[in-house]
Amino acid sequence: MSALAETVPVAGPPQSRRLVMAVRWLRSNLFSSWWNTLLTGLVLYGVVAFVAKALSWGVVDAVPFSGSRTECAAASGACWAFLREKVHLVLTGTYPEPERWRAYLASAVMIAAILAFAKAPIGVAGRAVLVLVSGACAYLLLRGGVVGLPVVESHRWNGLPLILFLSAFSMAAAFPLGVVLALARWSGQRGLSLFAVGYIEAVRAIPMVAVLFAGIFILPLLLSRGAAIEPVAAILIVLTLFYAAYFAEDVRAGLQSLPKGQTEAAASLGLSSVQRIRLIVLPQALRTAIPGITNSIIGSFKDTSLVAIVGMHDLLSTARMAYADPQWQAYSLEANLAIGLFYFICCWLISERARRLGHGAVTAH
Amino acid sequence: MLSTQDPASTVGTAPGGQAFAAGKLKPPSPPPPSAPLRKRLEGLVWPLVVLLGLFGAGVLGARNVSANLAAAGMEIDFSFLWQQAGFDVSESLIGYSPRDTYAYVLLVGILNTLAAASVTLVLASAIGLVVGIAMTSSNWLVRNLARLYVELLRNLPKLLIVIALYVALVRGLPHIKAAWTGPFGAMLSNRGLALPAPVIGHGGLALALATCLWLAGWVFWARAVNRHQDATGQRRAVALPVLLAGFTLYAGLALSGLVEIGWSVPKLTGFNVSGGIGLSLQFAALVLALSVYHGGQIGAIVEGGILATSRGQHEAALALGLSRLRTMRLIVLPQALRIITPPLGNQYSNLLKNTSIALAIGYSDLLSVVSTSVNQTFRPIELMTLVALFFLIANLMISAGVNWCNHVFRIRGR
């Protein structure tokens, strides 16, 4: 009888069963001991207080996108109208107003190219062509000087097109360079591997800001006399050289995890060294290296924002321009939240994509 | 036809495998005796070409640099370091005036960088430890909140965090005249945080000696407790007696009049704060932002280390009757430390490098001092070489420290 009595609640009506399950879950996950109960209470209090405050600031007391300056001054919450008012400034900075469509078009071209790069089944050669073509398109659109488009100096390429241009093309160039560096380090040729180790370790030891400074100050000195280099190009070059060292480390991890038997088997099959690397070594090493490479891509994308320090107007600095306007000075938080949301979504998309590319095991750090 | 069924023939269909498939049909012949040498030479050609190319590029670059510098009437020369810098820095740990030399101002920058990095290191490690443990908590709410924190911080640029925090502090904090005051005369305003500081009246030597003695006693007691635990399985308290002893020691020193400690309280004089310890807003924003940023990263590392510790260890400790806190401190964390150390070293090196974003908010770290110096002297090569040298040495020291920790925490086999 007792056994029957015990099974009744479990086999009872679904409603009560769900309730029992819910209570059991709550008890084991939130209130398992006095310490956990206390912790739950404290954290819950903090979360509720924060969410309530955030909601009243961001929604209840806020002025929506359609609002006006005077409404914002009267409201106690967020002023989303500020973002609508300044959207062009934040996205394109000081790009000349009548030519703004070019900045947007160039951004669209680059975003399309990035999506195609990540998704289209076009192989390595196709991707190389895609990078070159989209790079040329974006450059010509931004710069002008062809088919009757007026020239826009590169220091006026601000905001979204600038970070897309710098991050996409520096990474596209840095990745193959990093693979070559990693292979050089792995190759066993003493001179090459010594050079690769020296390069990788030196670059990784130096902060990116210092590298950017070197690009601005030292790179022009390296050119032959009379030749000039635009800051955007200089930054693109140093970013490439910088990211390459990080990619090389990721690829090295993949190479190290490759069993020696793989290359030996390939050698015994009579494959040449180039074939061995192209067909046997790299496909396996790169697949293993995907989590590390993803981390580096996310890190590089985030760190591209550091170009603001050497005077390039990326999104952070155009947002700063927007809230430097005396009329809208109080709304820095809104601008920074918007930029944060942009970066969060982009990085999240990259890691999602990588998770699907790899074998579902992208570790989180 | 048999060969098409041969598994090896699938290799033949792959590009580059043709030669092998064709070669397989021929009777085996001994390889020509010159092949190994030829192969070795072939293997040398490409590395040689690459290295020669790099060498050529290096020579070309060096020639261009010297030509460019000559055209500007300069050459590489470090003697400018002894000239008067002539610019002011926002804050400095050692006395500095614009009449000091460039070498001295670089030292100021290095000390500022190290100060920010060391405070950040401690704060970020503490945050990371708490977050990492929280991520493995059995409490659903705590665990997921910690995950949210890590995930959020992982996907935001550090520069954004620094700038947003700095702007929020500057705009949100009251003017110095209306500064928020805390206990013991602490003041927080948009000029920065002023904290009361102890000032040693006399007996500094006695105080230092007592502190050394106390720390030595702490280490001694901790070792004795461990030995006792190894022998008997009983664990005695460590932290409480040590703190008590420290308290009585210092109280005794103060009461006996051997040491006199004054208290410097910040005071508003005109438009500035005098007395106490002043932390500038730039310093506070930089340290807070980097601590929060690296705290998230360290949290993920700590979580990985804890998860990698075998679950049986944890359960066995609980079964032995150790409390959760002791299980964490005595069983799980020491083992996790072994796994945590190498990535933690990486994080610390990143943390040191990331202090250079101080430039964005005007804290006078090494790079911001160097940037001003480059603009004034136009000595980019010399100055950037010094910066690179500093960071190379600092990173080498960090990795030496990590290696030492690795050695200390290694599994000692029987």
Side-chain angles (χ1 to χ4, degrees), chain A residues 269-305:
Chain A
L269 284 175
L271 298 186
S272 74
S273 58
V274 174
Q275 285 169 334
R276 276 202 304 266
I277 289 170
R278 196 168 66 84
L279 300 170
I280 309 291
V281 174
L282 275 186
Q284 299 186 63
L286 290 183
R287 175 165 286 272
T288 329
I290 282 176
I293 293 171
T294 310
N295 274 339
S296 288
I297 289 177
I298 291 178
S300 309
F301 178 64
K302 290 191 303 178
D303 282 355
T304 307
S305 62

mmCIF file of all heavy atoms in Angstrom, chain A residues 269-305:
data_model
loop_
_atom_site.group_PDB
_atom_site.id
_atom_site.type_symbol
_atom_site.label_atom_id
_atom_site.label_comp_id
_atom_site.label_asym_id
_atom_site.label_seq_id
_atom_site.Cartn_x
_atom_site.Cartn_y
_atom_site.Cartn_z
ATOM 1 N N LEU A 269 53.503 7.994 -48.573
ATOM 2 C CA LEU A 269 52.658 7.853 -49.759
ATOM 3 C C LEU A 269 53.290 8.560 -50.948
ATOM 4 O O LEU A 269 52.762 8.523 -52.046
ATOM 5 C CB LEU A 269 51.270 8.438 -49.502
ATOM 6 C CG LEU A 269 50.344 7.592 -48.645
ATOM 7 C CD1 LEU A 269 49.058 8.350 -48.375
ATOM 8 C CD2 LEU A 269 50.050 6.280 -49.331
ATOM 9 N N GLY A 270 54.379 9.281 -50.714
ATOM 10 C CA GLY A 270 55.073 9.942 -51.808
ATOM 11 C C GLY A 270 54.589 11.345 -52.082
ATOM 12 O O GLY A 270 54.908 11.923 -53.115
ATOM 13 N N LEU A 271 53.807 11.920 -51.172
ATOM 14 C CA LEU A 271 53.373 13.304 -51.406
ATOM 15 C C LEU A 271 54.549 14.254 -51.193
ATOM 16 O O LEU A 271 55.369 14.045 -50.299
ATOM 17 C CB LEU A 271 52.251 13.674 -50.424
ATOM 18 C CG LEU A 271 50.966 12.884 -50.516
ATOM 19 C CD1 LEU A 271 49.922 13.477 -49.582
ATOM 20 C CD2 LEU A 271 50.431 12.864 -51.932
ATOM 21 N N SER A 272 54.595 15.266 -52.013
ATOM 22 C CA SER A 272 55.655 16.258 -51.835
ATOM 23 C C SER A 272 55.353 17.082 -50.591
ATOM 24 O O SER A 272 54.247 17.029 -50.054
ATOM 25 C CB SER A 272 55.733 17.163 -53.053
ATOM 26 O OG SER A 272 54.642 18.054 -53.033
ATOM 27 N N SER A 273 56.339 17.876 -50.145
ATOM 28 C CA SER A 273 56.114 18.590 -48.884
ATOM 29 C C SER A 273 54.978 19.592 -49.019
ATOM 30 O O SER A 273 54.195 19.778 -48.089
ATOM 31 C CB SER A 273 57.405 19.282 -48.450
ATOM 32 O OG SER A 273 57.828 20.167 -49.455
ATOM 33 N N VAL A 274 54.864 20.244 -50.183
ATOM 34 C CA VAL A 274 53.770 21.190 -50.376
ATOM 35 C C VAL A 274 52.432 20.466 -50.321
ATOM 36 O O VAL A 274 51.484 20.906 -49.665
ATOM 37 C CB VAL A 274 53.928 21.937 -51.717
ATOM 38 C CG1 VAL A 274 52.711 22.811 -51.982
ATOM 39 C CG2 VAL A 274 55.191 22.765 -51.705
ATOM 40 N N GLN A 275 52.363 19.311 -50.987
ATOM 41 C CA GLN A 275 51.114 18.534 -50.976
ATOM 42 C C GLN A 275 50.787 18.059 -49.563
ATOM 43 O O GLN A 275 49.627 18.073 -49.151
ATOM 44 C CB GLN A 275 51.254 17.321 -51.890
ATOM 45 C CG GLN A 275 51.189 17.678 -53.349
ATOM 46 C CD GLN A 275 51.587 16.494 -54.211
ATOM 47 O OE1 GLN A 275 52.334 15.609 -53.783
ATOM 48 N NE2 GLN A 275 51.083 16.482 -55.423
ATOM 49 N N ARG A 276 51.822 17.636 -48.843
ATOM 50 C CA ARG A 276 51.602 17.172 -47.468
ATOM 51 C C ARG A 276 50.949 18.269 -46.645
ATOM 52 O O ARG A 276 49.979 18.044 -45.944
ATOM 53 C CB ARG A 276 52.944 16.814 -46.823
ATOM 54 C CG ARG A 276 53.426 15.430 -47.129
ATOM 55 C CD ARG A 276 54.406 14.950 -46.088
ATOM 56 N NE ARG A 276 55.565 15.797 -45.877
ATOM 57 C CZ ARG A 276 56.731 15.638 -46.472
ATOM 58 N NH1 ARG A 276 56.899 14.670 -47.352
ATOM 59 N NH2 ARG A 276 57.739 16.430 -46.199
ATOM 60 N N ILE A 277 51.513 19.458 -46.760
ATOM 61 C CA ILE A 277 51.000 20.561 -45.950
ATOM 62 C C ILE A 277 49.593 20.948 -46.391
ATOM 63 O O ILE A 277 48.696 21.145 -45.578
ATOM 64 C CB ILE A 277 51.964 21.765 -46.034
ATOM 65 C CG1 ILE A 277 53.238 21.431 -45.261
ATOM 66 C CG2 ILE A 277 51.324 23.019 -45.486
ATOM 67 C CD1 ILE A 277 54.334 22.407 -45.458
ATOM 68 N N ARG A 278 49.394 21.003 -47.714
ATOM 69 C CA ARG A 278 48.115 21.490 -48.230
ATOM 70 C C ARG A 278 46.994 20.474 -48.006
ATOM 71 O O ARG A 278 45.867 20.847 -47.700
ATOM 72 C CB ARG A 278 48.256 21.802 -49.723
ATOM 73 C CG ARG A 278 47.150 22.666 -50.291
ATOM 74 C CD ARG A 278 47.521 23.165 -51.664
ATOM 75 N NE ARG A 278 47.608 22.068 -52.620
ATOM 76 C CZ ARG A 278 46.560 21.559 -53.264
ATOM 77 N NH1 ARG A 278 45.370 22.047 -53.057
ATOM 78 N NH2 ARG A 278 46.713 20.572 -54.122
ATOM 79 N N LEU A 279 47.299 19.195 -48.148
ATOM 80 C CA LEU A 279 46.234 18.194 -48.134
ATOM 81 C C LEU A 279 46.088 17.487 -46.791
ATOM 82 O O LEU A 279 44.992 17.052 -46.442
ATOM 83 C CB LEU A 279 46.490 17.135 -49.220
ATOM 84 C CG LEU A 279 46.543 17.677 -50.641
ATOM 85 C CD1 LEU A 279 47.031 16.613 -51.588
ATOM 86 C CD2 LEU A 279 45.175 18.163 -51.046
ATOM 87 N N ILE A 280 47.162 17.356 -46.061
ATOM 88 C CA ILE A 280 47.103 16.549 -44.837
ATOM 89 C C ILE A 280 47.227 17.422 -43.592
ATOM 90 O O ILE A 280 46.403 17.359 -42.688
ATOM 91 C CB ILE A 280 48.241 15.494 -44.809
ATOM 92 C CG1 ILE A 280 48.251 14.694 -46.106
ATOM 93 C CG2 ILE A 280 48.128 14.609 -43.592
ATOM 94 C CD1 ILE A 280 47.076 13.782 -46.291
ATOM 95 N N VAL A 281 48.249 18.263 -43.566
ATOM 96 C CA VAL A 281 48.566 18.971 -42.322
ATOM 97 C C VAL A 281 47.567 20.088 -42.040
ATOM 98 O O VAL A 281 46.896 20.104 -41.013
ATOM 99 C CB VAL A 281 50.006 19.540 -42.385
ATOM 100 C CG1 VAL A 281 50.296 20.402 -41.184
ATOM 101 C CG2 VAL A 281 51.003 18.402 -42.474
ATOM 102 N N LEU A 282 47.454 21.019 -43.007
ATOM 103 C CA LEU A 282 46.648 22.218 -42.731
ATOM 104 C C LEU A 282 45.177 21.917 -42.465
ATOM 105 O O LEU A 282 44.609 22.468 -41.517
ATOM 106 C CB LEU A 282 46.803 23.235 -43.856
ATOM 107 C CG LEU A 282 48.012 24.150 -43.730
ATOM 108 C CD1 LEU A 282 47.991 25.211 -44.800
ATOM 109 C CD2 LEU A 282 48.064 24.784 -42.348
ATOM 110 N N PRO A 283 44.519 21.075 -43.286
ATOM 111 C CA PRO A 283 43.096 20.861 -43.008
ATOM 112 C C PRO A 283 42.848 20.379 -41.588
ATOM 113 O O PRO A 283 41.924 20.839 -40.922
ATOM 114 C CB PRO A 283 42.697 19.792 -44.028
ATOM 115 C CG PRO A 283 43.678 19.912 -45.122
ATOM 116 C CD PRO A 283 44.967 20.343 -44.485
ATOM 117 N N GLN A 284 43.699 19.478 -41.100
ATOM 118 C CA GLN A 284 43.485 18.967 -39.741
ATOM 119 C C GLN A 284 43.880 20.001 -38.698
ATOM 120 O O GLN A 284 43.174 20.209 -37.708
ATOM 121 C CB GLN A 284 44.304 17.699 -39.530
ATOM 122 C CG GLN A 284 43.918 16.591 -40.471
ATOM 123 C CD GLN A 284 44.647 15.304 -40.127
ATOM 124 O OE1 GLN A 284 44.467 14.763 -39.051
ATOM 125 N NE2 GLN A 284 45.472 14.836 -41.034
ATOM 126 N N ALA A 285 45.029 20.634 -38.915
ATOM 127 C CA ALA A 285 45.515 21.594 -37.912
ATOM 128 C C ALA A 285 44.550 22.767 -37.774
ATOM 129 O O ALA A 285 44.232 23.190 -36.669
ATOM 130 C CB ALA A 285 46.902 22.087 -38.302
ATOM 131 N N LEU A 286 44.055 23.273 -38.907
ATOM 132 C CA LEU A 286 43.165 24.436 -38.840
ATOM 133 C C LEU A 286 41.858 24.063 -38.154
ATOM 134 O O LEU A 286 41.302 24.851 -37.397
ATOM 135 C CB LEU A 286 42.896 24.986 -40.241
ATOM 136 C CG LEU A 286 44.101 25.657 -40.897
ATOM 137 C CD1 LEU A 286 43.722 26.220 -42.242
ATOM 138 C CD2 LEU A 286 44.641 26.758 -40.003
ATOM 139 N N ARG A 287 41.373 22.844 -38.403
ATOM 140 C CA ARG A 287 40.127 22.446 -37.756
ATOM 141 C C ARG A 287 40.299 22.401 -36.242
ATOM 142 O O ARG A 287 39.462 22.909 -35.492
ATOM 143 C CB ARG A 287 39.691 21.079 -38.290
ATOM 144 C CG ARG A 287 38.470 20.522 -37.609
ATOM 145 C CD ARG A 287 37.895 19.385 -38.412
ATOM 146 N NE ARG A 287 37.209 19.873 -39.602
ATOM 147 C CZ ARG A 287 35.932 20.216 -39.603
ATOM 148 N NH1 ARG A 287 35.227 20.137 -38.505
ATOM 149 N NH2 ARG A 287 35.369 20.641 -40.697
ATOM 150 N N THR A 288 41.423 21.849 -35.804
ATOM 151 C CA THR A 288 41.669 21.814 -34.356
ATOM 152 C C THR A 288 41.835 23.212 -33.804
ATOM 153 O O THR A 288 41.518 23.467 -32.650
ATOM 154 C CB THR A 288 42.964 21.044 -34.048
ATOM 155 O OG1 THR A 288 43.138 20.043 -35.027
ATOM 156 C CG2 THR A 288 42.917 20.431 -32.683
ATOM 157 N N ALA A 289 42.355 24.106 -34.631
ATOM 158 C CA ALA A 289 42.677 25.448 -34.127
ATOM 159 C C ALA A 289 41.471 26.379 -34.137
ATOM 160 O O ALA A 289 41.600 27.522 -33.710
ATOM 161 C CB ALA A 289 43.806 26.043 -34.949
ATOM 162 N N ILE A 290 40.312 25.900 -34.602
ATOM 163 C CA ILE A 290 39.166 26.814 -34.760
ATOM 164 C C ILE A 290 38.814 27.577 -33.473
ATOM 165 O O ILE A 290 38.643 28.797 -33.529
ATOM 166 C CB ILE A 290 37.939 26.065 -35.325
ATOM 167 C CG1 ILE A 290 38.124 25.875 -36.824
ATOM 168 C CG2 ILE A 290 36.650 26.830 -35.066
ATOM 169 C CD1 ILE A 290 37.029 25.083 -37.467
ATOM 170 N N PRO A 291 38.721 26.931 -32.306
ATOM 171 C CA PRO A 291 38.369 27.723 -31.120
ATOM 172 C C PRO A 291 39.353 28.856 -30.856
ATOM 173 O O PRO A 291 38.943 29.989 -30.589
ATOM 174 C CB PRO A 291 38.414 26.691 -29.988
ATOM 175 C CG PRO A 291 38.236 25.391 -30.643
ATOM 176 C CD PRO A 291 38.843 25.493 -31.997
ATOM 177 N N GLY A 292 40.636 28.550 -30.950
ATOM 178 C CA GLY A 292 41.643 29.589 -30.731
ATOM 179 C C GLY A 292 41.553 30.691 -31.765
ATOM 180 O O GLY A 292 41.627 31.878 -31.437
ATOM 181 N N ILE A 293 41.362 30.282 -33.029
ATOM 182 C CA ILE A 293 41.267 31.283 -34.091
ATOM 183 C C ILE A 293 40.051 32.172 -33.871
ATOM 184 O O ILE A 293 40.119 33.387 -34.044
ATOM 185 C CB ILE A 293 41.203 30.585 -35.469
ATOM 186 C CG1 ILE A 293 42.538 29.894 -35.757
ATOM 187 C CG2 ILE A 293 40.891 31.583 -36.567
ATOM 188 C CD1 ILE A 293 42.504 29.015 -36.979
ATOM 189 N N THR A 294 38.942 31.555 -33.457
ATOM 190 C CA THR A 294 37.737 32.348 -33.186
ATOM 191 C C THR A 294 37.995 33.384 -32.114
ATOM 192 O O THR A 294 37.628 34.554 -32.257
ATOM 193 C CB THR A 294 36.597 31.434 -32.714
ATOM 194 O OG1 THR A 294 36.481 30.368 -33.614
ATOM 195 C CG2 THR A 294 35.306 32.204 -32.626
ATOM 196 N N ASN A 295 38.643 32.932 -31.034
ATOM 197 C CA ASN A 295 38.966 33.881 -29.969
ATOM 198 C C ASN A 295 39.806 35.023 -30.511
ATOM 199 O O ASN A 295 39.583 36.176 -30.170
ATOM 200 C CB ASN A 295 39.730 33.173 -28.857
ATOM 201 C CG ASN A 295 38.791 32.545 -27.869
ATOM 202 O OD1 ASN A 295 37.632 32.949 -27.778
ATOM 203 N ND2 ASN A 295 39.252 31.562 -27.152
ATOM 204 N N SER A 296 40.772 34.680 -31.353
ATOM 205 C CA SER A 296 41.630 35.733 -31.902
ATOM 206 C C SER A 296 40.842 36.665 -32.807
ATOM 207 O O SER A 296 41.084 37.874 -32.816
ATOM 208 C CB SER A 296 42.786 35.123 -32.678
ATOM 209 O OG SER A 296 43.694 34.555 -31.789
ATOM 210 N N ILE A 297 39.910 36.100 -33.589
ATOM 211 C CA ILE A 297 39.125 36.958 -34.481
ATOM 212 C C ILE A 297 38.277 37.923 -33.657
ATOM 213 O O ILE A 297 38.231 39.131 -33.939
ATOM 214 C CB ILE A 297 38.240 36.111 -35.418
ATOM 215 C CG1 ILE A 297 39.122 35.394 -36.449
ATOM 216 C CG2 ILE A 297 37.207 36.974 -36.124
ATOM 217 C CD1 ILE A 297 38.365 34.491 -37.371
ATOM 218 N N ILE A 298 37.633 37.383 -32.612
ATOM 219 C CA ILE A 298 36.805 38.257 -31.770
ATOM 220 C C ILE A 298 37.677 39.317 -31.105
ATOM 221 O O ILE A 298 37.347 40.508 -31.103
ATOM 222 C CB ILE A 298 36.047 37.420 -30.717
ATOM 223 C CG1 ILE A 298 35.000 36.560 -31.405
ATOM 224 C CG2 ILE A 298 35.393 38.312 -29.682
ATOM 225 C CD1 ILE A 298 34.235 35.659 -30.480
ATOM 226 N N GLY A 299 38.814 38.873 -30.571
ATOM 227 C CA GLY A 299 39.719 39.819 -29.925
ATOM 228 C C GLY A 299 40.202 40.880 -30.894
ATOM 229 O O GLY A 299 40.231 42.068 -30.568
ATOM 230 N N SER A 300 40.545 40.455 -32.111
ATOM 231 C CA SER A 300 41.042 41.415 -33.092
ATOM 232 C C SER A 300 39.958 42.404 -33.477
ATOM 233 O O SER A 300 40.208 43.594 -33.605
ATOM 234 C CB SER A 300 41.523 40.685 -34.346
ATOM 235 O OG SER A 300 42.409 39.670 -34.014
ATOM 236 N N PHE A 301 38.742 41.888 -33.656
ATOM 237 C CA PHE A 301 37.648 42.782 -34.036
ATOM 238 C C PHE A 301 37.406 43.820 -32.942
ATOM 239 O O PHE A 301 37.245 45.011 -33.217
ATOM 240 C CB PHE A 301 36.384 41.970 -34.304
ATOM 241 C CG PHE A 301 35.204 42.815 -34.665
ATOM 242 C CD1 PHE A 301 35.209 43.559 -35.820
ATOM 243 C CD2 PHE A 301 34.105 42.881 -33.833
ATOM 244 C CE1 PHE A 301 34.137 44.353 -36.148
ATOM 245 C CE2 PHE A 301 33.031 43.675 -34.149
ATOM 246 C CZ PHE A 301 33.050 44.406 -35.307
ATOM 247 N N LYS A 302 37.414 43.354 -31.689
ATOM 248 C CA LYS A 302 37.211 44.302 -30.589
ATOM 249 C C LYS A 302 38.366 45.298 -30.522
ATOM 250 O O LYS A 302 38.173 46.481 -30.308
ATOM 251 C CB LYS A 302 37.140 43.544 -29.257
ATOM 252 C CG LYS A 302 35.914 42.732 -29.068
ATOM 253 C CD LYS A 302 35.812 42.245 -27.635
ATOM 254 C CE LYS A 302 37.009 41.450 -27.212
ATOM 255 N NZ LYS A 302 36.936 41.016 -25.814
ATOM 256 N N ASP A 303 39.590 44.770 -30.705
ATOM 257 C CA ASP A 303 40.761 45.618 -30.530
ATOM 258 C C ASP A 303 40.969 46.603 -31.671
ATOM 259 O O ASP A 303 41.720 47.562 -31.521
ATOM 260 C CB ASP A 303 42.016 44.762 -30.363
ATOM 261 C CG ASP A 303 42.102 44.193 -28.965
ATOM 262 O OD1 ASP A 303 41.235 44.558 -28.144
ATOM 263 O OD2 ASP A 303 43.010 43.402 -28.694
ATOM 264 N N THR A 304 40.304 46.357 -32.809
ATOM 265 C CA THR A 304 40.423 47.335 -33.885
ATOM 266 C C THR A 304 39.968 48.702 -33.389
ATOM 267 O O THR A 304 40.421 49.734 -33.878
ATOM 268 C CB THR A 304 39.598 46.888 -35.097
ATOM 269 O OG1 THR A 304 39.982 45.564 -35.426
ATOM 270 C CG2 THR A 304 39.849 47.767 -36.290
ATOM 271 N N SER A 305 39.108 48.698 -32.351
ATOM 272 C CA SER A 305 38.628 49.980 -31.824
ATOM 273 C C SER A 305 39.772 50.787 -31.200
ATOM 274 O O SER A 305 39.617 51.979 -30.978
ATOM 275 C CB SER A 305 37.531 49.737 -30.791
ATOM 276 O OG SER A 305 38.036 49.002 -29.717
#
